[in-house]
Every structure is written in C-alpha cells, then in structure tokens.
Amino acid sequence: MKKIVFSTGAGISAESGITTFRDAGGLWEQYPVMQVASAEGFAADPGLVHRFYNARRHDLAKAAPNEAHKLIAGLQDSFDVRVVTQNVDDLHERAGSRNVLHLHGELMKLRSVIRPEYTETLTPDNLDSSPDTRGRNGDPMRPHIVFFGEAVPEIDTAMRLAASADIFVVIGTSLNVYPAAGLMRCVRPGTPVYYIDPDPAPTPGMPDIRVMAVKATEGMRMLDRELRGI
Ligand code: OAD
C-alpha cells in the first residue's frame, strides 16, 4: 500500500464552522495571541487561558467532521493514510482516521502541569477547566496545548513520517508556524506534494508542488478522484 501523509491546518476544519487563526475575522484578530496561547501568557493569567480553551471546546462540541475529513478517512481502504495535524480539534478522529498525530496538542485533553506525559480526556458533559482543576491523581491540570514558546514534542516523529511518504498532501495552513510549516520540505526527492488552500502561501524552492487554490472539501474531492485514478 502506498503511504499518503496528510499535513493539515485550521483550514481543513473551517467548513465545519471552526474559526481559523489568521484569516480575516480569525481567532488571533479577536484575542491577543500571546496572552491566550503562549507560555508567558499562561504564567501571567492562567484563568484567561483556561477560559479561552473552554470556549474553543464548546465550539468544537457543536461541530462535525466535513467531507474533507471524511474523504481522508475513506482513503484508508486503499492507502496507508497518516495524518499529521496542527489542529487541536478531534474532527479527523471523529471522521474515522485511525492514525492521527497532533503536533500542537488536543483540545479535549488536559495535562498535568507537573508531569507533561500525564493527560486526561474530557467528556462532552464536562468541557470546562480552570486553574483549580485537579486530575484524578491530584495534579494541577492545564489545557493539553503546545503554547508558543514551548517545544513541539512530536515533531521528530512527524519529520520521519514526512520522509517516509509516497505522497504528501498539505491542506488549509498559512505555513506561518514552524516547525510544522517545514514538514513539506522533509519529503524524499521526487515525492508528489499537493497543497490545497483557497489562499495558498508562497512555497519558495518547491517548484514541483501542485497547488490547488480551492477549499478543503472541493480540493479533497478532486484529489480523491485523482488518487483513485477515476
Ligand atoms: P491559519 O489560521 O494560520 O491559516 C489557515 C489557513 O486555512 C489559511 O491559509 C487559509 O487560506 C486556509 N483556509 C481557510 N478556509 C479554508 C477552507 N475552507 N479550506 C481550506 N483551507 C482554508 O491556521 P494554521 O496554519 O493551521 O497553533 O495555524 C497554525 C498554528 O497557528 C495553529 O496550529 C495554532 C496557531 O497559532 C497553536 O495554537 C499552537
């Protein structure tokens, strides 16, 4: 089976009603990013950061996977499909993707402030956390999010995956945030690389990249037909 590695960003979830970060009206226009999504911001006002991610969880609870998430999961019948996502939502999993690596953490999990490897999953009836939240083991808990200023623990695994891809597909990212934005440059020479985004960022030094300047659902419909040879 050929291995397809998908590298997805906020744009793949846009048609599910999840607000992106840097588009007009995006989250970073509405909230000061360094207050709600950085290590310094969390140290300065943890309550604000908990409230910000509580609101994101409530938005996610109302959302459902869209056709792009579903087509990716559907390709598992014919390909070895791996998803590396910058997204903290769980829409790839809810669409049925079995191999999803979250580079920037997971909204539906909390993790221990003192033991980073200890996480707990929230349930739909219990979506909120605060600086007073304790884990079942008594640890103080924080959103399981990689804040700006923190290391990206899964990046080595993601780079190895990119280097093992037979086909590499980037969807819905402004390519602003490293190291995730550099993953497409880890592919082996000659690997077909696609980039689906209605407003694609420049990709200097990647002359052979196939840019599809359309929304995720439309781009995935086109790519699905092409990959299945129909
Ligand atoms: P951005 O908000 O920076 O970029 C969203 C991208 O999605 C843009 O390139 C849009 O053109 C595109 N887009 C919008 N609607 C789309 C649609 N219907 N289909 C496909 N694409 C669409 O989001 P990311 O690049 O994912 O990190 O941002 C990367 C990281 O920055 C996030 O993971 C987050 C943020 O700060 C953390 O919070 C750690």
Side-chain angles (χ1 to χ4, degrees):
M1 265 194 183
K2 282 195 171 171
K3 185 188 281 184
I4 310 184
V5 178
F6 286 91
S7 173
T8 65
I12 196 169
S13 299
E15 290 165 89
S16 293
I18 303 280
T19 311
T20 61
F21 297 96
R22 295 178 185 77
D23 289 307
L27 284 174
W28 295 158
E29 222 171 75
Q30 302 171 48
Y31 300 89
V33 50
M34 293 318 271
Q35 282 178 31
V36 298
S38 75
E40 296 83 356
F42 184 61
D45 190 348
L48 175 75
V49 176
H50 278 276
R51 286 195 298 281
F52 174 75
Y53 288 105
N54 290 346
R56 306 282 72 73
R57 268 182 225 117
H58 285 274
D59 288 346
L60 177 57
K62 291 180 224 127
N66 64 50
E67 197 185 349
H69 298 105
K70 290 178 191 166
L71 284 168
I72 290 174
L75 284 167
Q76 293 173 129
D77 65 8
S78 310
F79 296 88
D80 176 6
V81 174
R82 311 297 178 97
V83 179
V84 178
T85 187
Q86 298 176 75
N87 298 347
V88 296
D89 67 50
D90 58 358
L91 298 177
H92 282 297
E93 287 91 340
R94 278 156 60 187
S97 282
R98 293 186 291 272
N99 285 296
V100 185
L101 185 70
H102 287 271
L103 285 179
H104 293 162
E106 291 176 71
L107 201 44
M108 289 303 291
K109 290 184 180 171
L110 299 179
R111 80 161 189 251
S112 165
V113 170
I114 44 189
R115 263 179 288 266
E117 68 289 348
Y118 180 77
T119 61
E120 288 182 6
T121 302
L122 292 160
T123 52
D125 58 339
N126 181 23
L127 291 174
D128 296 322
S129 65
S130 77
D132 298 328
T133 302
R134 296 289 174 271
R136 286 186 287 277
N137 64 358
D139 282 4
M141 302 297 277
R142 57 165 268 187
H144 183 38
I145 302 289
V146 175
F147 294 139
F148 284 105
E150 293 181 333
V152 179
E154 301 289 3
I155 193 64
D156 289 344
T157 310
M159 286 166 70
R160 276 196 300 275
L161 264 179
S164 71
D166 297 308
I167 299 164
F168 193 79
V169 185
V170 181
I171 306 180
T173 171
S174 62
L175 300 176
N176 262 288
V177 175
Y178 281 83
L183 280 177
M184 62 165 74
R185 297 173 192 279
C186 299
V187 302
R188 288 168 296 175
T191 307
V193 179
Y194 298 81
Y195 177 23
I196 301 172
D197 192 305
D199 184 16
T203 52
M206 301 214 45
D208 296 329
I209 191 166
R210 273 272 304 279
V211 178
M212 299 158 85
V214 293
K215 290 183 176 180
T217 51
E218 185 183 347
M220 269 312 298
R221 278 197 291 272
M222 291 157 62
L223 186 65
D224 185 69
R225 282 197 296 273
E226 182 167 328
L227 293 174
R228 291 180 186 282
I230 48 175

